[in-house]
Amino acid sequence: MGVRPISQSGDNDMWVEDWALRAACRETAKPDELFVRGAEQNQAKQVCQGCPVRTECLAEALDNQIEWGVWGGMTERERRALVRRHPSASWRKILETARTRAQTASA
Ligand code: SF4
């Protein structure tokens, strides 16, 4: 589907249920920085680059069709395009499976 799993730390082979507690943006960004508009979103996405729970965050936004702000390193427009192409997908299942496959292949 053109969505790659994101593994930043190399140690996150299990799905993190309480991912928000490990969010990089908890430490580095003011909440409003991720809820900007237009071109500012591309700058806001940089906060997500090293986030250890980026995949979980992205799945949360896609599965709940959150339309506002940067989540999982994707802008609202980017997420909307994915959801439009696969409106009934379980993004958690897709991303979790893709991550497991990628880790198995690299082992
Ligand atoms: S991926 Fe980005 S928005 Fe999501 S928790 Fe990490 S830093 Fe925050």
Side-chain angles (χ1 to χ4, degrees):
M1 286 191 179
V3 177
R4 287 180 291 133
I6 307 132
S7 178
Q8 299 295 332
S9 65
D11 65 351
N12 57 347
D13 51 350
M14 300 290 291
W15 197 262
V16 180
E17 300 294 342
D18 58 349
W19 61 268
L21 298 174
R22 295 178 55 186
C25 56
R26 277 178 57 120
E27 305 295 328
T28 60
K30 296 175 187 140
D32 291 349
E33 289 178 24
L34 296 171
F35 296 93
V36 291
R37 290 198 159 272
E40 286 181 286
Q41 290 190 333
N42 287 324
Q43 189 169 357
K45 285 168 37 173
Q46 293 176 7
V47 175
C48 307
Q49 291 300 314
C51 181
V53 290
R54 190 171 159 193
T55 305
E56 288 85 346
C57 175
L58 179 58
E60 176 88 8
L62 291 170
D63 282 335
N64 293 296
Q65 299 189 16
I66 297 172
E67 295 186 7
W68 186 246
V70 170
W71 290 64
M74 295 184 81
T75 66
E76 55 206 39
R77 176 183 281 192
E78 292 167 334
R79 294 193 313 275
R80 200 177 308 123
L82 276 178
V83 170
R84 199 177 307 125
R85 279 188 274 158
H86 309 285
S88 60
S90 165
W91 291 98
R92 174 179 171 160
K93 187 173 179 183
I94 290 167
L95 292 170
E96 195 170 9
T97 300
R99 182 163 68 186
T100 300
R101 285 188 183 148
Q103 288 168 341
T104 301
S106 67

